[in-house]
Amino acid sequence: MAIEDRIREIEEEIKKTPYNKATSHHIGKLKAKLSKLKEDALARSSSGGKGRGFHVKKSGDSTVVLLGFPSVGKSTILNQLTNADSKIGAYEFTTLDIVPGVMEYRGAKIQILDIPGIITGASRGKGRGREILSVARNADFILMVLDVFNPQHLKVILEELRNIGIRANERPPDVTVKRTKMGGLHILSTVPLTKIDEKTIRSILNEYGIHSADVLIREDVTVDRFIDSMDPSCIYVQMLVVLNKIDLADKEYLEKLKLEMPEAILIAADKGINTEELKDEIFERLELIRLYLKPQGRKADLEEPMIIRKGSTIAEVAAKLHRDFIKNFRHAKVWGTSVKFPGQKVGLDHVLNDKDVLRLIIRK
């Protein structure tokens, strides 16, 4: 039986099985089997199937993918955010390939990718869906674009993402499984487990061929979250929902929508409404900060900042600048909000803040 047929068979069995305490163990086993099959299907499709794939070289300080159904206005959004010239048309499947652009904002160069619209069943390969969604797997951030009159598509697209191992706006499960050569399974939890029992945990581990291991659980995991902790194909990506074409909706409808989807950004891309707010939100969600470098004996370059991730240390910055900087590092001086006084001497583990000025002192 083909993998896809087996996947559908197990999905149907899960749907038909009523969930209760008596069936939870059985459903847990089925979900573990399903996860492994999807993992295998993903590995096969990414190892070079038939047809032409989408290949885009990542550039800039971060990469953002515009994801959505056809004709939701992704091309217009790309043109508003960047210097790209993506073909725009009021008909479906205008974008047949990936169109990249660069959003220059607060000193950062953020790559924005307009990818072809997906359709229901994309994760199973419909409409080259697997190839399209694989671009989202490699992005730093997903901008999910919905038509303002079709907010229900959010649930559909999230399901397609889940089917190929993308966990949008989720954090990795706090579960550690350390295989051992012998001794059986030792399961330790630092919190009460109210959504999964030890029998189900053992069954899931057995499905993955793990019969001897030390298991440490630090959150009240569900069956799905525990299975995700076993699946190396799962990736965790930040996502922002954008509702486009708000100029076509009345005020009462929009107010209701804001209550239902408070995290979404409402825009009208072709009119330029709220596109500046969208740029700001993308920058904030990517958690990028600006760092100004001060060479010895010269003023800091306040025109072109170095863009780094929030929470970056001196060591990470030094490694980016030159491979020998850490080996020859003496100390650093920092001016800004991350230090108690201007020009404070700090070490490699010091965490930098936005708009800090940094001078590295290196052994010669």
Side-chain angles (χ1 to χ4, degrees):
M1 184 183 291
I3 287 182
E4 291 297 341
D5 292 333
R6 184 68 180 132
I7 286 173
R8 277 189 282 271
E9 184 182 273
I10 294 176
E11 284 176 338
E12 281 303 311
E13 189 175 348
I14 291 171
K15 282 180 186 176
K16 290 176 183 175
T17 306
Y19 187 84
N20 53 52
K21 195 170 182 180
T23 61
S24 61
H25 173 244
H26 176 62
I27 290 174
K29 284 189 72 173
L30 289 174
K31 285 185 172 182
K33 285 180 181 178
L34 184 62
S35 176
K36 273 198 73 35
L37 285 168
K38 287 181 178 179
E39 187 185 330
D40 292 342
L42 186 63
R44 287 189 183 189
S45 65
S46 62
S47 63
K50 295 178 181 177
R52 182 172 58 89
F54 293 103
H55 301 286
V56 177
K57 184 179 179 181
K58 292 179 75 172
S59 66
D61 299 302
S62 282
T63 298
V64 175
V65 163
L66 296 171
L67 181 69
F69 282 128
S71 301
V72 293
K74 299 193 310 303
S75 297
T76 309
I77 292 172
L78 178 76
N79 294 337
Q80 284 281 357
L81 296 179
T82 75
N83 56 4
D85 184 19
S86 185
K87 193 175 177 183
I88 299 168
Y91 49 89
E92 295 188 352
F93 297 102
T94 306
T95 306
L96 297 175
D97 214 330
I98 294 175
V99 181
V102 176
M103 183 179 93
E104 297 191 15
Y105 193 69
R106 295 196 207 172
K109 289 180 171 63
I110 299 168
Q111 184 183 47
I112 312 281
L113 302 177
D114 177 18
I115 63 177
I118 64 167
I119 59 176
T120 303
S123 58
R124 299 194 193 283
K126 288 186 180 179
R128 298 179 73 190
R130 278 212 185 109
E131 298 165 66
I132 295 167
L133 290 172
S134 69
V135 181
R137 283 183 60 87
N138 295 317
D140 300 304
F141 191 78
I142 295 172
L143 208 62
M144 188 191 291
V145 184
L146 305 175
D147 187 299
V148 71
F149 296 110
N150 291 301
Q152 72 277 6
H153 286 167
L154 171 63
K155 187 176 179 182
V156 178
I157 298 175
L158 282 176
E159 187 61 30
E160 297 293 343
L161 291 175
R162 287 198 72 81
N163 285 339
I164 66 156
I166 295 176
R167 303 294 182 256
N169 291 341
E170 293 183 26
R171 53 181 176 75
D174 200 347
V175 176
T176 304
V177 178
K178 187 177 179 181
R179 290 178 185 255
T180 55
K181 290 183 178 179
M182 58 185 69
L185 295 172
H186 296 280
I187 301 167
L188 175 65
S189 174
T190 61
V191 295
L193 298 179
T194 64
K195 301 159 188 169
I196 191 172
D197 57 31
E198 189 170 315
K199 184 181 178 184
T200 303
I201 290 171
R202 289 178 180 275
S203 292
I204 292 169
L205 290 168
N206 288 337
E207 285 294 331
Y208 277 88
I210 300 173
H211 307 288
S212 186
D214 293 325
V215 182
L216 179 59
I217 305 171
R218 295 189 185 91
E219 71 167 89
D220 187 13
V221 288
T222 59
V223 168
D224 291 331
R225 292 273 291 167
F226 186 80
I227 291 170
D228 281 353
S229 74
M230 308 297 300
D231 186 351
S233 71
C234 282
I235 62 167
Y236 299 83
V237 185
Q238 284 291 305
M239 183 189 76
L240 175 64
V241 176
V242 175
L243 292 163
N244 192 24
K245 307 179 185 180
I246 62 169
D247 55 315
L248 304 178
D250 60 48
K251 187 177 179 181
E252 186 179 347
Y253 176 80
L254 291 177
E255 289 302 320
K256 182 183 175 186
L257 204 55
K258 286 177 186 177
L259 292 173
E260 292 173 355
M261 304 176 73
E263 295 294 317
I265 300 287
L266 278 63
I267 71 168
D270 61 345
K271 301 288 193 302
I273 298 172
N274 292 340
T275 50
E276 286 303 310
E277 288 83 346
L278 178 57
K279 288 181 181 181
D280 195 56
E281 193 68 22
I282 291 170
F283 186 91
E284 292 295 332
R285 294 287 189 101
L286 283 169
E287 296 192 316
L288 301 175
I289 63 173
R290 294 154 290 183
L291 178 68
Y292 300 103
L293 300 176
K294 186 183 186 306
Q296 188 170 353
R298 287 187 285 168
K299 291 183 178 180
D301 180 2
L302 301 179
E303 296 298 320
E304 292 192 23
M306 180 181 182
I307 304 298
I308 59 175
R309 290 279 183 185
K310 186 178 180 180
S312 292
T313 63
I314 300 285
E316 289 167 316
V317 172
K320 272 189 176 183
L321 291 170
H322 197 283
R323 62 184 180 183
D324 292 333
F325 277 7
I326 291 182
K327 183 173 68 176
N328 299 322
F329 180 83
R330 285 175 59 193
H331 62 267
K333 288 188 175 181
V334 176
W335 293 257
T337 57
S338 72
V339 290
K340 294 178 180 177
F341 55 87
Q344 182 177 331
K345 189 185 290 187
V346 296
L348 286 170
D349 59 350
H350 179 78
V351 177
L352 295 153
N353 284 352
D354 187 34
K355 295 185 180 179
D356 275 357
V357 174
L358 169 67
R359 178 185 162 197
L360 292 174
I361 290 85
I362 307 297
R363 292 190 195 92
K364 294 183 180 180

